Amino acid sequence: MSVLTITFWVLAVWAITSAVLVVHTRDIFRAALFLVSTFIVVAGFFVILGAEFLAVVQVLVYAGGISVLIIFAVMFTREVAQGNQPNRYFGVGLLLAVALFLVLSFTVVSTNWFPELHDTAEAEAIASGTFSDTSRGLGTLLREKFILPFELIAILLLAVLVGAVALVKER
Amino acid sequence: MPPLEHFLLVAAAIFSIGLYGALSRKNIITVFMSVELMFNAVNLTAIAFAKFLVPVWSNRFLFGSELSDSIKEASDIALSGQVLAIFIIAVAAAEIALGLAIVIAIYRNRGTIDITDIALMKK
């Protein structure tokens, strides 16, 4: 077993454990902390997959920004004492989630992802996976081919900023 | 390097846990956290596909006819999955900011964030 494989399994167990704890911890504040843990593990997966720029973005935006927003919302709404109770559709939700997971894993396992690629030099080249400089390529790509969605995202974020201020403003 | 299927299975597990949480909890903030879990699973899937499937295409482009053009095109194609993940992260950040603003507005007006109590449209 290579180092990457061992790292992958450690991260996988950690990710699924903390994801279950996000849903199942009674204290909502602790659930938010487990959510931060899940975000950081997913950043670890990004590093394994050679997307180091996205790993940094993940830690900055999710573990840094979104989790702070969620913890602020937990603090503002004083229902922390009531905890994290299940609603009426507890059983239906569990059933649907298990069914979805079974369908997804069946699809993943039964699909032949690399039709003519098994045990070839190409497959080896993918599997060895070098750590490349992706931020330069991403920057060029965002500025050249994806410039319109990039600008639209900027407008969206501005609209969200205005909308959020308008929503929580004191009358 | 673990195979593509392992990454996809982990992402599927996180997505299903997120779906379960979004469907089965009373507190609206837990529902938001579950939605964030689902976003993360989708990002993980996108980047795993970008890593494993797209390089096959880029290799074909690399060994194609015009080399100078195709190297550029190959690296563009290989990175477009990561660009998709960047846009998903941006939209998720916008969604959570606006969503939590709505949560706070609801809490201010109605004094509760229990989604089973917020049923104005049913009455």
Side-chain angles (χ1 to χ4, degrees), chain B residues 61-82:
Chain B
F61 275 110
L62 276 178
F63 299 125
S65 47
E66 325 97 56
L67 207 60
S68 58
D69 255 1
S70 53
I71 289 178
K72 174 99 178 58
E73 193 152 350
S75 73
D76 280 2
I77 290 174
L79 282 175
S80 46
Q82 298 194 13

Side-chain angles (χ1 to χ4, degrees), chain A residues 28 70 73-74 77 79 83-85, chain B residues 21-22 25-35 95-96 99-100 102-104 106-107 112-116 118:
Chain A
I28 292 181
I70 288 179
V74 172
T77 56
E79 290 199 359
N84 195 358
Q85 294 162 343
Chain B
R25 295 289 133 178
K26 265 185 179 174
N27 193 309
I28 210 168
I29 293 177
T30 317
V31 174
F32 267 110
M33 292 197 273
S34 307
V35 171
E95 173 258 341
I96 200 76
L100 290 177
I102 292 174
V103 168
I104 289 174
I106 287 176
Y107 182 73
T112 179
I113 50 167
D114 186 336
I115 51 171
T116 49
I118 307 166

Side-chain angles (χ1 to χ4, degrees), chain A residues 39 62 66, chain B residues 32-40 92 95-96:
Chain A
F39 289 159
Y62 274 106
I66 289 181
Chain B
F32 267 110
M33 292 197 273
S34 307
V35 171
E36 290 305 306
L37 281 184
M38 287 154 84
F39 270 120
N40 267 273
E95 173 258 341
I96 200 76

Side-chain angles (χ1 to χ4, degrees), chain A residues 51-78:
Chain A
E52 80 280 356
F53 178 73
L54 271 165
V56 173
V57 169
Q58 169 90 7
V59 171
L60 280 177
V61 174
Y62 274 106
I66 289 181
S67 56
V68 168
L69 272 181
I70 288 179
I71 289 171
F72 260 114
V74 172
M75 299 290 186
F76 271 125
T77 56
R78 278 161 290 171

